[in-house]
Amino acid sequence: MAEAKRARAAPLHPYLPDEIFIWEILLRLPPKPLLRCRAVCRGWRRATSARDFLLAHHTRQPSLPLLFESNDKTDEGGGYLDVIPLDRRAGVAVADQLRCVARFDTGGAFAFMEASCDGLLVLSTNQGQSLSDVSYYSVCNPVTRQYAPLPLLRGFCIAGMYPHPHTGEYRLLTYLDPLLELDEPWPAAGYHCYVYALGSSEPPRDIGWPEAEEAIHALDPVLFRGGLHWFIDKDKSESCMIMVFDTIAELFRQMHVPAVPGPGEPDLFEMDGMLGMASFTDARTTIDIWMTHDYDNEIWAFKYRVKLPVVELATRFGLDKYNWRLVVSSCNDDDNDLLILVNYDGWLLQIDMAGKLVSSFHRKLVGPTLLRFKQSLVRHTFFPTREGYVVNDWPLISPDDHAVDA
């Protein structure tokens, strides 16, 4: 707050103290209206550009489920990847509930959102001609429209992303891609876990843990209480468990699961300050929801059983319960409601905790992820140090004619 105070030379509003105007009014604005306020005068721009203000503004943004729309080929030979937060909060217009915040020109390559943390996205692109094709990684902030390649991650897979409070860095937990056949020699350690600091000029650092590396292949983690959490099924371990990576100590540990889940991989999520797990019953018609009653002692409590409207979904949308994609997560940080998304044949369906179909969207190329997105206007200093760094330039393209300069 001190930095923002020093930034202004005169009162910003003729009738309100700056403490109220900055920290109770401007701070509550969504990112785009806040950016437009910077055009009013230099004082408003200085106050809303101060780092302490931007950090406080970021903490107020909702953490929303992240969707994507991907078109690998177009008539012109190109392709795109859209980044789409799902905003189902009360008062949000229907047209804004699936609003794209960034579009990337993929040049016809396969593109994926690999990780998301504090407004930063890590993307991968792959030509997909063979299993041994290399993925190329990049990092961006869709709001500030900063983008930079991450060439040192060539040949690695992303296991998770997290902030490191002791250094202020954002780090990636990675492992070597077992399908690649590259000319250059691999690290002598081989298939271990590696840590890479975003923006670093040093390659990913070996931290060992080969047994953990094998278990977390191709799984999506949840960041909770400073740890990355993965559900590990019986195919990868002697029994079902949750693998936890302590991002400070860089150690792995195991955590008990509340019950033996049914078919399919359970989803982990955070809701109301607790770690949750959602799993199918054997018939794939109901979902059991468990929450950590005591996280430190690994005590779980059964919370809900959601009966899915399978008959209604089959009748209205032709849904086959054995071929759908279902994601369970929380709606946002300020709500203790559960979000159940069903993706099938171009339909995106939302089901509430009572098992009712509450909304449906038909967008053929849209799909759900387990990632979350929290918009941020914070400009990270590592971006300009990277070769290939751009702002509001290719491969970022505007999904409409209303791109706003951050």
PDB file of all heavy atoms in Angstrom, residues 159-190:
ATOM      1  N   ALA A 159       4.616 -31.434 -15.167  1.00  0.00           N
ATOM      2  CA  ALA A 159       3.814 -32.127 -14.154  1.00  0.00           C
ATOM      3  C   ALA A 159       2.985 -31.163 -13.322  1.00  0.00           C
ATOM      4  O   ALA A 159       1.937 -31.545 -12.794  1.00  0.00           O
ATOM      5  CB  ALA A 159       4.715 -32.942 -13.229  1.00  0.00           C
ATOM      6  N   GLY A 160       3.420 -29.909 -13.186  1.00  0.00           N
ATOM      7  CA  GLY A 160       2.681 -28.947 -12.388  1.00  0.00           C
ATOM      8  C   GLY A 160       3.424 -27.628 -12.288  1.00  0.00           C
ATOM      9  O   GLY A 160       4.617 -27.543 -12.580  1.00  0.00           O
ATOM     10  N   MET A 161       2.707 -26.588 -11.859  1.00  0.00           N
ATOM     11  CA  MET A 161       3.254 -25.238 -11.727  1.00  0.00           C
ATOM     12  C   MET A 161       2.872 -24.687 -10.366  1.00  0.00           C
ATOM     13  O   MET A 161       1.769 -24.937  -9.868  1.00  0.00           O
ATOM     14  CB  MET A 161       2.709 -24.359 -12.851  1.00  0.00           C
ATOM     15  CG  MET A 161       3.201 -22.928 -12.856  1.00  0.00           C
ATOM     16  SD  MET A 161       2.476 -22.070 -14.292  1.00  0.00           S
ATOM     17  CE  MET A 161       3.108 -20.420 -14.059  1.00  0.00           C
ATOM     18  N   TYR A 162       3.779 -23.901  -9.763  1.00  0.00           N
ATOM     19  CA  TYR A 162       3.511 -23.391  -8.418  1.00  0.00           C
ATOM     20  C   TYR A 162       4.364 -22.167  -8.130  1.00  0.00           C
ATOM     21  O   TYR A 162       5.438 -21.985  -8.720  1.00  0.00           O
ATOM     22  CB  TYR A 162       3.795 -24.489  -7.380  1.00  0.00           C
ATOM     23  CG  TYR A 162       5.210 -25.037  -7.421  1.00  0.00           C
ATOM     24  CD1 TYR A 162       6.217 -24.492  -6.631  1.00  0.00           C
ATOM     25  CD2 TYR A 162       5.541 -26.104  -8.256  1.00  0.00           C
ATOM     26  CE1 TYR A 162       7.513 -24.991  -6.669  1.00  0.00           C
ATOM     27  CE2 TYR A 162       6.827 -26.612  -8.301  1.00  0.00           C
ATOM     28  CZ  TYR A 162       7.810 -26.059  -7.511  1.00  0.00           C
ATOM     29  OH  TYR A 162       9.093 -26.552  -7.560  1.00  0.00           O
ATOM     30  N   PRO A 163       3.911 -21.297  -7.203  1.00  0.00           N
ATOM     31  CA  PRO A 163       4.748 -20.179  -6.762  1.00  0.00           C
ATOM     32  C   PRO A 163       5.694 -20.658  -5.662  1.00  0.00           C
ATOM     33  O   PRO A 163       5.328 -21.499  -4.838  1.00  0.00           O
ATOM     34  CB  PRO A 163       3.735 -19.170  -6.225  1.00  0.00           C
ATOM     35  CG  PRO A 163       2.603 -20.019  -5.731  1.00  0.00           C
ATOM     36  CD  PRO A 163       2.560 -21.238  -6.633  1.00  0.00           C
ATOM     37  N   HIS A 164       6.910 -20.120  -5.655  1.00  0.00           N
ATOM     38  CA  HIS A 164       7.877 -20.454  -4.611  1.00  0.00           C
ATOM     39  C   HIS A 164       8.039 -19.221  -3.723  1.00  0.00           C
ATOM     40  O   HIS A 164       8.706 -18.252  -4.113  1.00  0.00           O
ATOM     41  CB  HIS A 164       9.216 -20.861  -5.232  1.00  0.00           C
ATOM     42  CG  HIS A 164      10.170 -21.468  -4.247  1.00  0.00           C
ATOM     43  ND1 HIS A 164      11.212 -20.749  -3.688  1.00  0.00           N
ATOM     44  CD2 HIS A 164      10.228 -22.711  -3.698  1.00  0.00           C
ATOM     45  CE1 HIS A 164      11.885 -21.529  -2.859  1.00  0.00           C
ATOM     46  NE2 HIS A 164      11.300 -22.719  -2.842  1.00  0.00           N
ATOM     47  N   PRO A 165       7.432 -19.210  -2.536  1.00  0.00           N
ATOM     48  CA  PRO A 165       7.374 -17.979  -1.734  1.00  0.00           C
ATOM     49  C   PRO A 165       8.734 -17.473  -1.280  1.00  0.00           C
ATOM     50  O   PRO A 165       8.904 -16.269  -1.095  1.00  0.00           O
ATOM     51  CB  PRO A 165       6.490 -18.377  -0.542  1.00  0.00           C
ATOM     52  CG  PRO A 165       6.568 -19.868  -0.476  1.00  0.00           C
ATOM     53  CD  PRO A 165       6.733 -20.329  -1.882  1.00  0.00           C
ATOM     54  N   HIS A 166       9.694 -18.347  -1.079  1.00  0.00           N
ATOM     55  CA  HIS A 166      10.991 -17.904  -0.562  1.00  0.00           C
ATOM     56  C   HIS A 166      11.786 -17.115  -1.595  1.00  0.00           C
ATOM     57  O   HIS A 166      12.607 -16.269  -1.241  1.00  0.00           O
ATOM     58  CB  HIS A 166      11.809 -19.110  -0.084  1.00  0.00           C
ATOM     59  CG  HIS A 166      11.219 -19.776   1.113  1.00  0.00           C
ATOM     60  ND1 HIS A 166      11.711 -20.952   1.646  1.00  0.00           N
ATOM     61  CD2 HIS A 166      10.162 -19.443   1.887  1.00  0.00           C
ATOM     62  CE1 HIS A 166      10.986 -21.302   2.698  1.00  0.00           C
ATOM     63  NE2 HIS A 166      10.038 -20.408   2.851  1.00  0.00           N
ATOM     64  N   THR A 167      11.578 -17.385  -2.874  1.00  0.00           N
ATOM     65  CA  THR A 167      12.334 -16.704  -3.927  1.00  0.00           C
ATOM     66  C   THR A 167      11.464 -15.768  -4.759  1.00  0.00           C
ATOM     67  O   THR A 167      12.004 -14.933  -5.502  1.00  0.00           O
ATOM     68  CB  THR A 167      12.974 -17.728  -4.867  1.00  0.00           C
ATOM     69  OG1 THR A 167      11.933 -18.511  -5.489  1.00  0.00           O
ATOM     70  CG2 THR A 167      13.913 -18.656  -4.107  1.00  0.00           C
ATOM     71  N   GLY A 168      10.134 -15.895  -4.679  1.00  0.00           N
ATOM     72  CA  GLY A 168       9.248 -15.126  -5.531  1.00  0.00           C
ATOM     73  C   GLY A 168       9.148 -15.677  -6.943  1.00  0.00           C
ATOM     74  O   GLY A 168       8.504 -15.079  -7.804  1.00  0.00           O
ATOM     75  N   GLU A 169       9.781 -16.820  -7.182  1.00  0.00           N
ATOM     76  CA  GLU A 169       9.765 -17.413  -8.514  1.00  0.00           C
ATOM     77  C   GLU A 169       8.484 -18.224  -8.741  1.00  0.00           C
ATOM     78  O   GLU A 169       7.834 -18.665  -7.791  1.00  0.00           O
ATOM     79  CB  GLU A 169      10.958 -18.362  -8.701  1.00  0.00           C
ATOM     80  CG  GLU A 169      12.310 -17.702  -8.594  1.00  0.00           C
ATOM     81  CD  GLU A 169      13.434 -18.727  -8.578  1.00  0.00           C
ATOM     82  OE1 GLU A 169      13.179 -19.907  -8.243  1.00  0.00           O
ATOM     83  OE2 GLU A 169      14.578 -18.340  -8.901  1.00  0.00           O
ATOM     84  N   TYR A 170       8.167 -18.422 -10.006  1.00  0.00           N
ATOM     85  CA  TYR A 170       7.174 -19.417 -10.390  1.00  0.00           C
ATOM     86  C   TYR A 170       7.935 -20.587 -10.990  1.00  0.00           C
ATOM     87  O   TYR A 170       8.801 -20.397 -11.853  1.00  0.00           O
ATOM     88  CB  TYR A 170       6.159 -18.839 -11.378  1.00  0.00           C
ATOM     89  CG  TYR A 170       5.183 -17.935 -10.694  1.00  0.00           C
ATOM     90  CD1 TYR A 170       5.461 -16.586 -10.519  1.00  0.00           C
ATOM     91  CD2 TYR A 170       3.993 -18.435 -10.167  1.00  0.00           C
ATOM     92  CE1 TYR A 170       4.576 -15.753  -9.860  1.00  0.00           C
ATOM     93  CE2 TYR A 170       3.096 -17.609  -9.501  1.00  0.00           C
ATOM     94  CZ  TYR A 170       3.396 -16.277  -9.352  1.00  0.00           C
ATOM     95  OH  TYR A 170       2.519 -15.456  -8.680  1.00  0.00           O
ATOM     96  N   ARG A 171       7.638 -21.770 -10.504  1.00  0.00           N
ATOM     97  CA  ARG A 171       8.421 -22.932 -10.877  1.00  0.00           C
ATOM     98  C   ARG A 171       7.545 -24.001 -11.523  1.00  0.00           C
ATOM     99  O   ARG A 171       6.344 -24.094 -11.252  1.00  0.00           O
ATOM    100  CB  ARG A 171       9.140 -23.515  -9.660  1.00  0.00           C
ATOM    101  CG  ARG A 171      10.184 -22.567  -9.076  1.00  0.00           C
ATOM    102  CD  ARG A 171      10.915 -23.179  -7.898  1.00  0.00           C
ATOM    103  NE  ARG A 171      12.000 -22.319  -7.426  1.00  0.00           N
ATOM    104  CZ  ARG A 171      12.808 -22.630  -6.415  1.00  0.00           C
ATOM    105  NH1 ARG A 171      12.659 -23.792  -5.784  1.00  0.00           N
ATOM    106  NH2 ARG A 171      13.760 -21.795  -6.058  1.00  0.00           N
ATOM    107  N   LEU A 172       8.202 -24.815 -12.346  1.00  0.00           N
ATOM    108  CA  LEU A 172       7.549 -25.942 -13.003  1.00  0.00           C
ATOM    109  C   LEU A 172       8.195 -27.236 -12.538  1.00  0.00           C
ATOM    110  O   LEU A 172       9.427 -27.345 -12.528  1.00  0.00           O
ATOM    111  CB  LEU A 172       7.682 -25.832 -14.519  1.00  0.00           C
ATOM    112  CG  LEU A 172       6.999 -24.634 -15.179  1.00  0.00           C
ATOM    113  CD1 LEU A 172       7.398 -24.552 -16.644  1.00  0.00           C
ATOM    114  CD2 LEU A 172       5.491 -24.721 -15.050  1.00  0.00           C
ATOM    115  N   LEU A 173       7.373 -28.185 -12.133  1.00  0.00           N
ATOM    116  CA  LEU A 173       7.839 -29.539 -11.876  1.00  0.00           C
ATOM    117  C   LEU A 173       7.738 -30.298 -13.183  1.00  0.00           C
ATOM    118  O   LEU A 173       6.672 -30.347 -13.811  1.00  0.00           O
ATOM    119  CB  LEU A 173       6.996 -30.206 -10.792  1.00  0.00           C
ATOM    120  CG  LEU A 173       7.413 -31.625 -10.400  1.00  0.00           C
ATOM    121  CD1 LEU A 173       8.772 -31.613  -9.699  1.00  0.00           C
ATOM    122  CD2 LEU A 173       6.357 -32.267  -9.493  1.00  0.00           C
ATOM    123  N   THR A 174       8.846 -30.899 -13.634  1.00  0.00           N
ATOM    124  CA  THR A 174       8.887 -31.536 -14.941  1.00  0.00           C
ATOM    125  C   THR A 174       9.517 -32.920 -14.853  1.00  0.00           C
ATOM    126  O   THR A 174      10.107 -33.292 -13.834  1.00  0.00           O
ATOM    127  CB  THR A 174       9.693 -30.686 -15.941  1.00  0.00           C
ATOM    128  OG1 THR A 174      11.085 -30.726 -15.583  1.00  0.00           O
ATOM    129  CG2 THR A 174       9.231 -29.246 -15.949  1.00  0.00           C
ATOM    130  N   TYR A 175       9.412 -33.649 -15.940  1.00  0.00           N
ATOM    131  CA  TYR A 175      10.105 -34.934 -16.082  1.00  0.00           C
ATOM    132  C   TYR A 175      10.412 -35.136 -17.562  1.00  0.00           C
ATOM    133  O   TYR A 175       9.788 -34.517 -18.441  1.00  0.00           O
ATOM    134  CB  TYR A 175       9.275 -36.095 -15.521  1.00  0.00           C
ATOM    135  CG  TYR A 175       7.889 -36.227 -16.112  1.00  0.00           C
ATOM    136  CD1 TYR A 175       7.662 -37.002 -17.239  1.00  0.00           C
ATOM    137  CD2 TYR A 175       6.796 -35.588 -15.523  1.00  0.00           C
ATOM    138  CE1 TYR A 175       6.396 -37.133 -17.782  1.00  0.00           C
ATOM    139  CE2 TYR A 175       5.525 -35.704 -16.059  1.00  0.00           C
ATOM    140  CZ  TYR A 175       5.332 -36.481 -17.182  1.00  0.00           C
ATOM    141  OH  TYR A 175       4.070 -36.597 -17.722  1.00  0.00           O
ATOM    142  N   LEU A 176      11.379 -35.973 -17.860  1.00  0.00           N
ATOM    143  CA  LEU A 176      11.762 -36.220 -19.238  1.00  0.00           C
ATOM    144  C   LEU A 176      10.647 -36.943 -19.993  1.00  0.00           C
ATOM    145  O   LEU A 176      10.014 -37.854 -19.460  1.00  0.00           O
ATOM    146  CB  LEU A 176      13.042 -37.058 -19.294  1.00  0.00           C
ATOM    147  CG  LEU A 176      14.321 -36.375 -18.786  1.00  0.00           C
ATOM    148  CD1 LEU A 176      15.473 -37.370 -18.786  1.00  0.00           C
ATOM    149  CD2 LEU A 176      14.661 -35.174 -19.634  1.00  0.00           C
ATOM    150  N   ASP A 177      10.437 -36.530 -21.217  1.00  0.00           N
ATOM    151  CA  ASP A 177       9.419 -37.154 -22.052  1.00  0.00           C
ATOM    152  C   ASP A 177       9.918 -38.527 -22.496  1.00  0.00           C
ATOM    153  O   ASP A 177      10.899 -38.626 -23.249  1.00  0.00           O
ATOM    154  CB  ASP A 177       9.127 -36.277 -23.267  1.00  0.00           C
ATOM    155  CG  ASP A 177       7.917 -36.752 -24.048  1.00  0.00           C
ATOM    156  OD1 ASP A 177       7.595 -37.954 -23.971  1.00  0.00           O
ATOM    157  OD2 ASP A 177       7.298 -35.935 -24.734  1.00  0.00           O
ATOM    158  N   PRO A 178       9.274 -39.610 -22.065  1.00  0.00           N
ATOM    159  CA  PRO A 178       9.784 -40.951 -22.394  1.00  0.00           C
ATOM    160  C   PRO A 178       9.615 -41.338 -23.854  1.00  0.00           C
ATOM    161  O   PRO A 178      10.206 -42.327 -24.302  1.00  0.00           O
ATOM    162  CB  PRO A 178       8.952 -41.864 -21.488  1.00  0.00           C
ATOM    163  CG  PRO A 178       7.684 -41.115 -21.271  1.00  0.00           C
ATOM    164  CD  PRO A 178       8.064 -39.667 -21.233  1.00  0.00           C
ATOM    165  N   LEU A 179       8.832 -40.585 -24.627  1.00  0.00           N
ATOM    166  CA  LEU A 179       8.567 -40.954 -26.014  1.00  0.00           C
ATOM    167  C   LEU A 179       9.529 -40.314 -27.003  1.00  0.00           C
ATOM    168  O   LEU A 179       9.537 -40.654 -28.176  1.00  0.00           O
ATOM    169  CB  LEU A 179       7.136 -40.571 -26.397  1.00  0.00           C
ATOM    170  CG  LEU A 179       6.023 -41.257 -25.594  1.00  0.00           C
ATOM    171  CD1 LEU A 179       4.670 -40.754 -26.061  1.00  0.00           C
ATOM    172  CD2 LEU A 179       6.110 -42.769 -25.751  1.00  0.00           C
ATOM    173  N   LEU A 180      10.347 -39.370 -26.524  1.00  0.00           N
ATOM    174  CA  LEU A 180      11.182 -38.618 -27.444  1.00  0.00           C
ATOM    175  C   LEU A 180      12.482 -39.338 -27.753  1.00  0.00           C
ATOM    176  O   LEU A 180      13.045 -40.036 -26.913  1.00  0.00           O
ATOM    177  CB  LEU A 180      11.483 -37.232 -26.878  1.00  0.00           C
ATOM    178  CG  LEU A 180      10.277 -36.294 -26.730  1.00  0.00           C
ATOM    179  CD1 LEU A 180      10.731 -34.933 -26.277  1.00  0.00           C
ATOM    180  CD2 LEU A 180       9.530 -36.180 -28.050  1.00  0.00           C
ATOM    181  N   GLU A 181      12.949 -39.114 -28.973  1.00  0.00           N
ATOM    182  CA  GLU A 181      14.245 -39.628 -29.387  1.00  0.00           C
ATOM    183  C   GLU A 181      15.028 -38.458 -29.974  1.00  0.00           C
ATOM    184  O   GLU A 181      14.960 -38.160 -31.163  1.00  0.00           O
ATOM    185  CB  GLU A 181      14.080 -40.730 -30.431  1.00  0.00           C
ATOM    186  CG  GLU A 181      13.310 -41.943 -29.914  1.00  0.00           C
ATOM    187  CD  GLU A 181      13.067 -42.968 -30.990  1.00  0.00           C
ATOM    188  OE1 GLU A 181      13.495 -42.714 -32.142  1.00  0.00           O
ATOM    189  OE2 GLU A 181      12.444 -43.997 -30.699  1.00  0.00           O
ATOM    190  N   LEU A 182      15.773 -37.765 -29.108  1.00  0.00           N
ATOM    191  CA  LEU A 182      16.501 -36.576 -29.527  1.00  0.00           C
ATOM    192  C   LEU A 182      17.977 -36.886 -29.712  1.00  0.00           C
ATOM    193  O   LEU A 182      18.513 -37.832 -29.145  1.00  0.00           O
ATOM    194  CB  LEU A 182      16.321 -35.459 -28.493  1.00  0.00           C
ATOM    195  CG  LEU A 182      14.869 -35.005 -28.266  1.00  0.00           C
ATOM    196  CD1 LEU A 182      14.833 -33.877 -27.268  1.00  0.00           C
ATOM    197  CD2 LEU A 182      14.224 -34.583 -29.568  1.00  0.00           C
ATOM    198  N   ASP A 183      18.627 -36.049 -30.515  1.00  0.00           N
ATOM    199  CA  ASP A 183      20.035 -36.264 -30.806  1.00  0.00           C
ATOM    200  C   ASP A 183      20.926 -35.927 -29.620  1.00  0.00           C
ATOM    201  O   ASP A 183      21.907 -36.604 -29.350  1.00  0.00           O
ATOM    202  CB  ASP A 183      20.462 -35.414 -32.017  1.00  0.00           C
ATOM    203  CG  ASP A 183      19.749 -35.859 -33.281  1.00  0.00           C
ATOM    204  OD1 ASP A 183      19.378 -37.044 -33.339  1.00  0.00           O
ATOM    205  OD2 ASP A 183      19.574 -35.027 -34.181  1.00  0.00           O
ATOM    206  N   GLU A 184      20.579 -34.836 -28.890  1.00  0.00           N
ATOM    207  CA  GLU A 184      21.453 -34.421 -27.799  1.00  0.00           C
ATOM    208  C   GLU A 184      21.343 -35.392 -26.619  1.00  0.00           C
ATOM    209  O   GLU A 184      20.302 -36.015 -26.406  1.00  0.00           O
ATOM    210  CB  GLU A 184      21.131 -32.994 -27.346  1.00  0.00           C
ATOM    211  CG  GLU A 184      19.739 -32.829 -26.784  1.00  0.00           C
ATOM    212  CD  GLU A 184      18.787 -32.228 -27.799  1.00  0.00           C
ATOM    213  OE1 GLU A 184      18.942 -32.515 -29.000  1.00  0.00           O
ATOM    214  OE2 GLU A 184      17.886 -31.506 -27.383  1.00  0.00           O
ATOM    215  N   PRO A 185      22.430 -35.540 -25.862  1.00  0.00           N
ATOM    216  CA  PRO A 185      22.389 -36.462 -24.716  1.00  0.00           C
ATOM    217  C   PRO A 185      21.482 -35.945 -23.608  1.00  0.00           C
ATOM    218  O   PRO A 185      21.397 -34.750 -23.345  1.00  0.00           O
ATOM    219  CB  PRO A 185      23.853 -36.511 -24.255  1.00  0.00           C
ATOM    220  CG  PRO A 185      24.432 -35.202 -24.715  1.00  0.00           C
ATOM    221  CD  PRO A 185      23.742 -34.886 -26.010  1.00  0.00           C
ATOM    222  N   TRP A 186      20.810 -36.889 -22.913  1.00  0.00           N
ATOM    223  CA  TRP A 186      19.974 -36.529 -21.784  1.00  0.00           C
ATOM    224  C   TRP A 186      20.833 -36.410 -20.530  1.00  0.00           C
ATOM    225  O   TRP A 186      21.958 -36.922 -20.484  1.00  0.00           O
ATOM    226  CB  TRP A 186      18.911 -37.609 -21.553  1.00  0.00           C
ATOM    227  CG  TRP A 186      17.806 -37.559 -22.562  1.00  0.00           C
ATOM    228  CD1 TRP A 186      17.470 -38.538 -23.435  1.00  0.00           C
ATOM    229  CD2 TRP A 186      16.924 -36.485 -22.810  1.00  0.00           C
ATOM    230  NE1 TRP A 186      16.421 -38.148 -24.210  1.00  0.00           N
ATOM    231  CE2 TRP A 186      16.056 -36.880 -23.852  1.00  0.00           C
ATOM    232  CE3 TRP A 186      16.763 -35.209 -22.261  1.00  0.00           C
ATOM    233  CZ2 TRP A 186      15.051 -36.072 -24.351  1.00  0.00           C
ATOM    234  CZ3 TRP A 186      15.758 -34.400 -22.770  1.00  0.00           C
ATOM    235  CH2 TRP A 186      14.925 -34.832 -23.787  1.00  0.00           C
ATOM    236  N   PRO A 187      20.306 -35.755 -19.486  1.00  0.00           N
ATOM    237  CA  PRO A 187      21.027 -35.751 -18.212  1.00  0.00           C
ATOM    238  C   PRO A 187      21.314 -37.179 -17.749  1.00  0.00           C
ATOM    239  O   PRO A 187      20.505 -38.091 -17.948  1.00  0.00           O
ATOM    240  CB  PRO A 187      20.047 -35.041 -17.272  1.00  0.00           C
ATOM    241  CG  PRO A 187      19.197 -34.201 -18.170  1.00  0.00           C
ATOM    242  CD  PRO A 187      19.073 -34.966 -19.451  1.00  0.00           C
ATOM    243  N   ALA A 188      22.475 -37.371 -17.159  1.00  0.00           N
ATOM    244  CA  ALA A 188      22.894 -38.717 -16.759  1.00  0.00           C
ATOM    245  C   ALA A 188      21.914 -39.356 -15.790  1.00  0.00           C
ATOM    246  O   ALA A 188      21.768 -40.569 -15.740  1.00  0.00           O
ATOM    247  CB  ALA A 188      24.292 -38.659 -16.144  1.00  0.00           C
ATOM    248  N   ALA A 189      21.219 -38.516 -15.005  1.00  0.00           N
ATOM    249  CA  ALA A 189      20.295 -39.058 -14.004  1.00  0.00           C
ATOM    250  C   ALA A 189      19.114 -39.764 -14.653  1.00  0.00           C
ATOM    251  O   ALA A 189      18.521 -40.668 -14.063  1.00  0.00           O
ATOM    252  CB  ALA A 189      19.801 -37.939 -13.092  1.00  0.00           C
ATOM    253  N   GLY A 190      18.760 -39.351 -15.884  1.00  0.00           N
ATOM    254  CA  GLY A 190      17.669 -40.019 -16.579  1.00  0.00           C
ATOM    255  C   GLY A 190      16.311 -39.609 -16.065  1.00  0.00           C
ATOM    256  O   GLY A 190      16.040 -38.437 -15.830  1.00  0.00           O
TER     257      GLY A 190
END
